[in-house]
Amino acid sequence: MCDNASREDAQKQGYTEEERAELAEKLEQDLDDFINSLEKKPYTDGWPEDRWEEEMEKHPFFMSKISDDPNQVSPLIEGLQQLKYGEEYNTPDELAQSYKEDGNFNYKHKKYEQAVYIYTKGIESKSENKDLMSQLYSNRALSQLKLKHYKWSLRDCRSALQFSPQYIKPMHTAAKCCLELKDNDQCIQFCNQILNILKKENKQDDEIVKLKAEAEKNKKLKLRDARMKEAKERKLKETQEKIKKAIDLKKISIDNDSNLFQDSQWYVHLKSDGSLVWPVIFAYPENNQTDFVENFEETTSMKAQLEEIFKESPAWDSDQNYKVDKLNIYFAGKDKKLHRINIDQSLGSIMQHKQFIVHNGTPVFFVVIAKSKVEHAFLESYR
């Protein structure tokens, strides 16, 4: 622009080309000198570079989170909230729509608990728009599903379908909930409803087909497991009846049939030849110790079993006093007295003693050193 003005002045005054070039060069130099002479000052009215996000967060139109403390909410934000959520400024439909949009925003950003709360506020607006209410319940159901609140999610799906019976979205959510809750029949039912609706519209949803197939597979596996469990229980019951019959035939006394098969890894059982195998407890009063023999066959003698137990001296028998030929074995009989046994007898023969009784499904024998003070005191305690 300066060049054009200079050129016009030169032409009016009859400057030569050389003079005009000299004048233009002078004007450019004067402009550069003026710019360089300006005082250089930093711009201090803007946001600091390291805090620009923090400053933006303070602006009502850019903030992503509003303080929970009402004393920290600015009048402008409070006014905006009133315009958006105040019942005096909005109809129930408008309120429900606003809450739905806010809930969708939080759901999109994976803030599912906040979304549930906001959708609930929308539902509480009591909008008469059935489609809008159905959407609020359906969206809350999706948020509950993300939080793994499957029962609550399913309940919301049913509420959504009360407002809009053909709404596919809550049907899909409900099917997923039923699968998680192992309610395969309900899952299949919801999937069939969706597929029937889509069929009328000549549409197909591979995800629903896959979901239904998974529920049908789980249903078959559940039925198979139930049959296997039933067969196992039937076989166990038959075995237990055989054991009870064998015990009765051998005239062995027990305190209660139900105690024979307590929920334990070890209980009386039958061998293939029909003989009984018992779990047995040996108690040592002198040392407050016990031994548990998991499988004591009734045909095995007491002496043989003791020799197996004391093949190596136990850690608590520091003096090695427990030798089979130095021990006496007792059981507490039905008459509340101690009865010494012949260790050469088999376990089956001992248990057929008229005073012997099995308590809690497990025979118990007391082992003491023969003719010791402990034996004397032990016998006195039962008199």
Side-chain angles (χ1 to χ4, degrees), residues 40-277:
K40 296 183 179 179
K41 296 180 180 180
Y43 180 59
T44 59
D45 296 332
W47 291 340
E49 184 176 352
D50 60 337
R51 299 204 324 271
W52 70 271
E53 290 182 337
E54 178 184 341
E55 296 296 333
M56 281 191 70
E57 189 68 27
K58 296 177 183 178
H59 196 288
F61 292 102
F62 299 112
M63 62 175 48
S64 60
K65 183 179 180 181
I66 297 176
S67 174
D68 294 330
D69 185 356
N71 296 322
Q72 295 184 7
V73 177
S74 72
L76 177 57
I77 294 173
E78 187 175 359
L80 291 173
Q81 288 179 322
Q82 285 294 325
L83 285 174
K84 188 170 184 180
Y85 299 114
E87 293 183 5
E88 64 271 31
Y89 301 111
N90 299 274
T91 66
D93 288 357
E94 289 171 338
L95 282 173
Q97 182 64 33
S98 293
Y99 282 121
K100 189 190 91 167
E101 291 170 358
D102 286 354
N104 291 350
F105 177 84
N106 280 274
Y107 180 88
K108 181 179 178 181
H109 290 82
K110 300 183 179 181
K111 298 178 179 179
Y112 303 121
E113 291 183 351
Q114 184 71 4
V116 168
Y117 173 77
I118 294 172
Y119 289 134
T120 301
K121 296 292 288 183
I123 291 168
E124 291 173 352
S125 68
K126 298 180 180 179
S127 167
E128 294 183 1
N129 186 323
K130 290 185 178 181
D131 288 340
L132 186 53
M133 290 296 289
S134 183
Q135 290 166 11
L136 284 165
Y137 273 112
S138 177
N139 291 356
R140 190 172 75 172
L142 269 174
S143 300
Q144 298 282 26
L145 177 65
K146 291 292 185 180
L147 294 169
K148 299 184 178 181
H149 300 161
Y150 303 121
K151 290 184 179 179
W152 292 355
S153 178
L154 183 58
R155 181 185 60 188
D156 278 347
C157 289
R158 297 189 189 282
S159 297
L161 291 170
Q162 285 181 353
F163 286 101
S164 183
Q166 300 297 306
Y167 194 7
I168 288 180
K169 187 176 177 182
M171 291 182 193
H172 193 168
T173 304
K176 290 181 178 178
C177 290
C178 289
L179 189 69
E180 294 291 344
L181 293 169
K182 302 186 187 304
D183 190 345
N184 300 303
D185 287 332
Q186 278 289 307
C187 179
I188 294 169
Q189 184 176 336
F190 278 118
C191 288
N192 284 335
Q193 284 182 262
I194 296 171
L195 293 173
N196 288 335
I197 294 171
L198 293 176
K199 186 177 180 181
K200 293 177 182 178
E201 301 174 359
N202 293 320
K203 295 179 181 178
Q204 181 68 25
D205 190 324
D206 292 337
E207 186 178 353
I208 298 299
V209 173
K210 184 178 179 181
L211 191 63
K212 179 184 176 183
E214 188 174 354
E216 289 175 338
K217 178 183 176 182
N218 290 345
K219 182 179 179 180
K220 290 179 181 178
L221 290 174
K222 189 175 181 179
L223 289 172
R224 183 205 65 184
D225 292 344
R227 287 194 299 269
M228 291 177 64
K229 182 180 179 181
E230 184 181 350
K232 185 177 180 180
E233 289 176 349
R234 185 171 58 251
K235 184 177 180 180
L236 179 61
K237 188 175 181 180
E238 291 173 356
T239 301
Q240 290 177 349
E241 289 300 323
K242 289 180 180 178
I243 293 171
K244 290 178 183 179
K245 187 176 180 180
I247 292 172
D248 289 341
L249 287 173
K250 297 174 188 294
K251 297 181 179 180
I252 297 173
S253 299
I254 55 176
D255 60 348
N256 193 320
D257 282 355
S258 60
N259 290 335
L260 289 171
F261 313 106
Q262 296 182 24
D263 186 16
S264 172
Q265 184 179 0
W266 307 105
Y267 51 84
V268 60
H269 59 278
L270 281 170
K271 290 182 65 178
S272 57
D273 62 3
S275 61
L276 293 166
V277 181

Side-chain angles (χ1 to χ4, degrees), residues 282-287 306 310 316 321-330 338 340 343 365-379:
F282 287 94
Y284 309 98
E286 182 177 2
N287 306 89
L306 289 170
F310 295 108
W316 46 263
N321 292 323
Y322 282 76
K323 304 295 182 182
V324 176
D325 57 352
K326 295 181 179 180
L327 302 176
N328 281 334
I329 318 299
Y330 296 86
L338 289 174
R340 194 174 74 171
I343 64 172
F365 295 98
F366 299 97
V367 182
V368 293
I369 299 172
K371 299 179 181 179
S372 65
K373 292 181 180 180
V374 172
E375 181 182 34
H376 178 75
F378 185 60
L379 292 172

